[in-house]
Structures are given as structure tokens and as C-alpha cells.
């Protein structure tokens, strides 16, 4: 099943080219200035917004996934593998940039491997895939960037960091800011608390699991039924 979804390439060739270009450019800037690893990771997240929006449902309606969705195969497993196939290319690029940062002695390598920066990668991958489930390939990324642009121009306060505070309302406010703009976790405020990041991760997981659950019951088969 894994090789099947990778062979179908849920991401466009142009996305792979953009990802390779961003990775190469990021490696160059990290080599010249290790402190710029965040800039490289931020560019990669931008590309991942489009790469992870692989449009499962539209491809399924065209019959692309019939061999994996029919004949008693697990729909949940197919959805999980298709998400993985949509995410792996950017994950490989992410690890390549982290390796470049480690070689050059960047101070944020650990966070990119097991901290808030890695959380940003997961949030982008989960939300872009989930929101793009029933949309054309790459559409969720375009819509997300459009919403971010509108918020920055009209309601920048909604994306600003809420500052310290341990109340449930403050944590929820900060978590919503992270979900809307995961770039806050890449070189954002230094005082980002673990509770807000955890809440943002939980919200992303809930959204993705909800889409997975709904996807198990959507009729997408184009094969003949007896």
C-alpha cells in the first residue's frame, strides 16, 4: 500500500521542484549563517502548506485509489498512508536542513527535532491535508495563505502573541494563534509555553482524526458493484 501511494505521487512535480529549491537555498544560507536555520525552515513550511494539501477525495472520485479502497482493504489505513505519502518529501527536506544546521552548529537544531519547531511542521502537515481533503490539490494551501494575508492586513491582533498567562482562556487564545499561523513557532516569541503548543497540537490531531473518521464512510468507489 505504501509503494502504491508513493507511485501515484499525491504532490505535483512543481511542488517537488519548489521543495528541492527551498532545501538547497536553505542549506546555502545555513552554511553561511547558522542562525538563519529558522528562515530556511519557515520557507519549507510555506511549501509544505501546498504539498500536504493533496486532495484525497477528488483523486479518489477519479478512481485513482480504487485498488486500495476496494476489495475489503482498510480505508483508515489507506487514508493514513496517503497522508504519509503527502508529508514524507517535506519531512526528508526538513531533516536535511536540520542536518545542515547541526553541522554548522545552529542553536535551534534540538527544537527542530523534538520541540516547537517540529510541532509547527506537524501542525502544517495535519491542517493542510485535512482542510484539503475534499478540495483540488494545493487548494488548502492557497486558501490558508489567503486567510493569513487577510488577517495580517485586517486583524493583525488575532495573530499577535497574547503574552503570559496561565488561564484556560489565555492558553486557548495562544493555541488558536499557533493553529492559524504555525510560523509563530519558527523564530517567534521566546516565551511560547508548552501548554499552548500542546493545545495547538491536540487541535490539529482532532481535526485530522475527524477527517480520517469521516473519510472511512465516504463512497468513492468507481468500480462496478454486483
Amino acid at each position: 500500500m505504501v509503494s502504491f501511494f508513493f507511485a501515484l505521487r499525491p504532490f505535483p512535480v512543481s511542488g517537488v521542484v519548489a521543495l528541492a529549491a527551498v532545501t538547497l537555498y536553505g542549506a546555502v544560507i545555513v552554511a553561511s549563517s547558522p542562525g538563519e536555520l529558522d528562515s530556511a525552515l519557515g520557507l519549507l513550511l510555506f511549501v509544505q502548506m501546498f504539498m500536504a494539501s493533496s486532495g484525497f477525495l477528488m483523486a479518489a472520485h477519479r478512481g485513482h485509489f480504487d485498488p486500495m479502497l476496494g476489495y475489503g482493504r482498510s480505508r483508515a489505513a489507506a487514508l493514513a498512508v496517503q497522508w504519509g505519502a503527502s508529508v514524507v518529501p517535506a519531512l526528508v527536506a526538513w531533516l536535511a536542513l536540520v542536518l545542515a544546521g547541526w553541522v554548522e552548529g545552529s542553536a535551534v537544531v534540538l527544537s527542530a527535532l523534538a520541540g516547537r519547531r517540529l510541532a509547527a511542521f506537524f501542525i502544517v502537515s495535519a491542517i493542510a491535508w485535512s482542510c484539503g481533503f475534499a478540495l483540488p490539490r494545493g487548494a488548502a494551501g492557497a486558501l490558508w495563505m489567503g486567510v493569513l494575508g487577510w488577517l495580517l492586513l485586517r486583524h493583525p491582533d488575532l495573530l499577535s502573541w497574547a503574552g503570559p498567562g496561565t488561564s484556560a482562556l489565555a492558553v486557548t487564545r495562544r493555541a488558536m494563534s499557533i493553529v492559524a499561523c504555525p510560523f509563530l513557532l519558527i523564530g517567534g516569541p521566546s516565551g511560547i509555553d508548552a501548554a499552548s503548543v500542546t493545545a495547538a497540537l491536540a487541535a490539529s490531531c482532532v481535526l485530522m482524526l475527524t477527517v480520517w473518521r469521516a473519510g472511512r464512510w465516504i463512497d468513492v468507489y468507481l468500480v462496478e458493484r454486483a
Side-chain angles (χ1 to χ4, degrees), residues 10-139:
F11 36 80
V13 175
S14 58
V16 177
V17 173
L19 189 64
V22 164
T23 305
L24 179 60
Y25 174 73
V28 170
I29 63 174
V30 169
S32 61
S33 177
E36 291 299 316
L37 179 58
D38 275 340
S39 298
L41 296 179
L43 288 173
L44 193 151
L45 280 188
F46 175 79
V47 176
Q48 179 66 341
M49 283 183 163
F50 296 86
M51 291 279 286
S53 175
S54 50
F56 179 93
L57 192 58
M58 296 194 72
H61 275 309
R62 297 188 183 105
H64 296 176
F65 304 149
D66 280 357
M68 289 296 106
L69 299 181
Y71 311 110
R73 294 182 182 270
S74 170
R75 178 79 66 86
L79 288 164
V81 172
Q82 199 269 347
W83 176 76
S86 305
V87 169
V88 162
L91 179 60
V92 172
W94 181 276
L95 293 176
L97 288 177
V98 171
L99 178 60
W102 176 75
V103 170
E104 298 298 332
S106 173
V108 301
V109 166
L110 183 59
S111 175
L113 287 175
R116 73 184 204 185
R117 288 165 176 81
L118 183 62
F121 179 86
F122 176 82
I123 291 170
V124 167
S125 300
I127 293 179
W129 184 86
S130 301
C131 293
F133 181 80
L135 299 175
R137 193 165 60 181

Side-chain angles (χ1 to χ4, degrees), residues 167-203:
S167 67
L169 182 60
V171 171
T172 301
R173 165 72 172 79
R174 290 194 294 265
M176 290 175 61
S177 296
I178 292 172
V179 169
C181 184
F183 295 94
L184 287 170
L185 300 178
I186 305 290
S190 58
I192 296 179
D193 57 295
S196 299
V197 177
T198 301
L201 284 170

Side-chain angles (χ1 to χ4, degrees), residues 153-167:
L153 290 174
R154 303 297 297 272
H155 299 281
D157 56 300
L158 296 178
L159 296 180
S160 62
W161 197 241
T166 58
S167 67

